[in-house]
Every structure is written in C-alpha cells, then in structure tokens.
Amino acid sequence: AQSVSQHNHHVILSEAASLELGCNYSYGGTVNLFWYVQYPGQHLQLLLKYFSGDPLVKGIKGFEAEFIKSKFSFNLRKPSVQWSDTAEYFCAVRGSGTYKYIFGTGTRLKVLA
Amino acid sequence: GAVVSQHPSRVICKSGTSVKIECRSLDFQATTMFWYRQFPKQSLMLMATSNEGSKATYEQGVEKDKFLINHASLTLSTLTVTSAHPEDSSFYICSASGDQYTNYGYTFGSGTRLTVV
C-alpha cells in the first residue's frame, strides 16, 4: 500500500536547537518527494523537493532534507530553529510522472522563544 | 507568482443546506485543480481532481453527488457540499497546477473550515 509516515506528531524545541523530522514512505516505483510547511492561518507552502540527483536537497529558510533510498526516508533538518519556524510540516510523496500526492499526517512544531 | 485564493476561509451552515467553496488561481492558468479534505490530526486526503472543461475524477469512497466539483474556467474551480451533515465538517483545501505533470510542487489555497450544525 502507498503511504507516508511521519513519526513525530508534536515537537517542541527551544530556539537555536537542531531539528530533524522523520518521514518514511511506502511506494512501488520512482518517487518525487516533498516537504510542505503550513504556518498558522496560512496555506501550505513548498519547503523543498527531491526528484533526482544529489540526495541532499536544500530548501528555503535554511531547511534541508536527505533522501535515503535504502531506508525509504526523506527526513527534514534544520541546524538551528527560530521561533518563526513554528508551524505544521507535511511530508508528501508523488509517483514520478503522476499527479497524485500522498501526504503524511503532519508534524506540529512549536519553537519556544 | 502562483497564488491560489480559496474562499470562504470559514463557513458555518445548517444541516441539510449546501455550501459552495471557490478556488481561484490568481496569476496563472490552472488546467488541473485538486480538492483535499483534512480531518483533525490526519493527513490531507485527495477527494477529486478536476480538469478545466471536463468532469472531475473522484477518488474511491468520495460521493460524487455530495461533493459537486465544477471547473468551468482555467482560473476557477468550485466544490459544493450538498445537503451537508455534521460529518461533513472538515477542513477543505484546494490546489492548482498549470501542468498536470509539473516538476514543481502545486500551489495550495489557504483552506476552508466547514462546520455543519
């Protein structure tokens, strides 16, 4: 079955702490991988994406993610979080060449000032 | 660029009435629009895909007659929840793409919180 699993539902960090949010997927075939962020009261925004090439991708606002094919993972990282990173983060998978996203359940991050 | 406007952001309606939600692409032509539903603490679930000028394609388990989708122009898609019931209360999100097989992430609307009382 096709699925995306985000293990951490709620994460609370202090400012300047390092962040890693886990994402594992189950999908037969080549995939495109995405991380989206939803700030309070705002729409989903693309943080970063992976299609091919260097498995370490860098996105906006200092975020990066690493695709580890053997582990079916695409974890999101940021070395030092800020209060403004408080948001909900969604990992998503899409079969290469298809249009349908499969989303994870989201991780709600709260950064304490 | 690539802005999607969704309206209304919140709506409360009485059981048995219908509610229309609009999704507009403001600065690009959206050949394909997607409608999602998000339950509390759950992921976004794709309800249907609509292509401009043709009938929407619904995901398995989604009632076509309850969730009417119209994509009459390249910038507007509407979702009408007909004869709404409390179990239809949810967060509905649209997204739009100018190319069905785009290499970029889709642009999402800000969502509509529907509460049926």
Side-chain angles (χ1 to χ4, degrees), chain B:
Chain B
V3 177
V4 171
S5 173
Q6 189 172 341
H7 179 80
S9 58
R10 291 179 182 270
V11 58
I12 301 173
C13 71
K14 290 184 178 179
S15 187
T17 62
S18 296
V19 173
K20 181 184 283 188
I21 302 169
E22 292 188 348
C23 181
R24 294 180 183 273
S25 57
L26 297 186
D27 50 4
F28 67 102
Q29 292 186 326
T31 52
T32 306
M33 286 188 171
F34 306 88
W35 287 96
Y36 293 85
R37 183 173 179 177
Q38 185 180 22
F39 292 98
K41 300 182 181 180
Q42 295 187 33
S43 63
L44 283 73
M45 302 298 295
L46 180 64
M47 297 173 66
T49 302
S50 71
N51 291 296
E52 185 266 337
S54 61
K55 288 184 179 180
T57 301
Y58 289 82
E59 295 299 302
Q60 192 173 8
V62 177
E63 298 177 60
K64 300 179 185 181
D65 295 332
K66 166 164 276 297
F67 299 102
L68 301 180
I69 291 171
N70 184 281
H71 192 165
S73 76
L74 285 171
T75 58
L76 174 64
S77 176
T78 59
L79 167 67
T80 302
V81 183
T82 62
S83 187
H85 291 284
E87 58 264 31
D88 299 324
S89 297
S90 193
F91 193 57
Y92 294 87
I93 303 174
C94 70
S95 72
S97 169
D99 178 353
Q100 193 170 9
Y101 298 106
T102 183
N103 281 332
Y104 301 95
Y106 302 135
T107 303
F108 286 83
S110 53
T112 298
R113 173 81 56 195
L114 170 64
T115 303
V116 184
V117 297

Side-chain angles (χ1 to χ4, degrees), chain A:
Chain A
Q2 300 166 353
S3 65
V4 176
S5 177
Q6 289 182 246
H7 312 294
N8 315 103
H9 298 296
H10 289 91
V11 173
I12 301 175
L13 295 173
S14 298
E15 274 195 315
S18 64
L19 170 72
E20 180 158 5
L21 301 182
C23 173
N24 287 89
Y25 68 93
S26 173
Y27 195 97
T30 306
V31 295
N32 302 143
L33 297 155
F34 305 82
W35 274 98
Y36 282 87
V37 61
Q38 187 172 28
Y39 298 103
Q42 296 188 29
H43 58 273
L44 282 165
Q45 300 173 43
L46 181 65
L47 262 185
L48 48 78
K49 61 187 184 295
Y50 172 80
F51 291 105
S52 64
D54 188 346
L56 182 63
V57 291
K58 296 191 183 296
I60 60 173
K61 304 186 181 187
F63 286 91
E64 65 178 32
E66 184 174 12
F67 171 49
I68 302 180
K69 190 175 182 180
S70 61
K71 294 184 178 181
F72 299 93
S73 70
F74 190 55
N75 292 354
L76 180 71
R77 298 193 293 248
K78 185 170 184 178
S80 176
V81 294
Q82 300 173 312
W83 177 80
S84 57
D85 294 324
T86 295
E88 189 157 16
Y89 294 80
F90 292 91
C91 180
V93 162
R94 188 180 72 190
S96 182
T98 72
Y99 59 85
K100 188 189 298 188
Y101 280 100
I102 302 168
F103 282 90
T105 51
T107 297
R108 201 175 290 270
L109 171 66
K110 184 170 184 177
V111 180
L112 304 175

